[in-house]
Every structure is written in C-alpha cells, then in structure tokens.
Amino acid sequence: MTAQSHYQVAPNITYLVQNGYEDKLDIYQRRGVTGVQPTLFYIHGGGWTGGTKEAAIMSVLPWLEMGWTVVNVTAVQNRTKL
C-alpha cells in the first residue's frame, strides 16, 4: 500500500495574502475517516526566516500514522531585505 492510498491531501490552500505574497497550508488526513479527528497544526521551524512546509513532510508522518489530521502551515516569514 502506498501513502496515496491511505491519505488524502488538500494542498496549497491560501490563508493569507500580504504585500503580494500568499501564505499557504496543506491539509492531510486519512482516507475514509468520518467524524471528529484530533488535529495537529504544524508550523515548521526556521526562525520565521526560512524553511518550507514541503521540507517538513517527514516530521508530520508519525502524526498521520497515529490517525491525526495534519494542517501543515507555511508561516508568515520576514520578507524584509536587510
């Protein structure tokens, strides 16, 4: 069985538009789940200056395996040039 057969993803949902930049999130959940599920909002590390939600996917897999829904968020980052 592949991960694709166990999980569904709603990718790149825009939750904030600021200064021409869109912040996005992905929602991962088990297929066939009905009812309320525990949910983890995962905000990747990077000190608000780097990193991506795509690079954090391995960090959320254990939560998916435990049956949680995961919202993987790109955090608002400092986009000011020094």
Side-chain angles (χ1 to χ4, degrees):
M1 291 257 155
T2 65
Q4 221 173 12
S5 64
H6 288 293
Y7 307 105
Q8 60 189 15
V9 61
N12 295 316
I13 299 168
T14 300
Y15 71 92
L16 176 67
V17 177
Q18 185 177 26
N19 298 325
Y21 181 85
E22 294 182 2
D23 279 317
K24 299 184 181 277
L25 58 83
D26 301 333
I27 301 173
Y28 298 88
Q29 62 188 145
R30 285 186 169 272
R31 291 190 180 278
V33 171
T34 59
V36 178
Q37 296 296 307
T39 302
L40 171 73
F41 280 80
Y42 186 86
I43 302 172
H44 66 80
W48 307 107
T49 61
T52 66
K53 63 183 173 55
E54 291 79 13
I57 190 62
M58 296 303 286
S59 297
V60 304
L61 284 176
W63 296 96
L64 291 170
E65 285 295 311
M66 291 187 289
W68 287 55
T69 294
V70 176
V71 178
N72 190 9
V73 179
T74 293
V76 177
Q77 296 180 357
N78 179 358
R79 294 179 193 88
T80 305
K81 294 187 178 196
L82 299 176

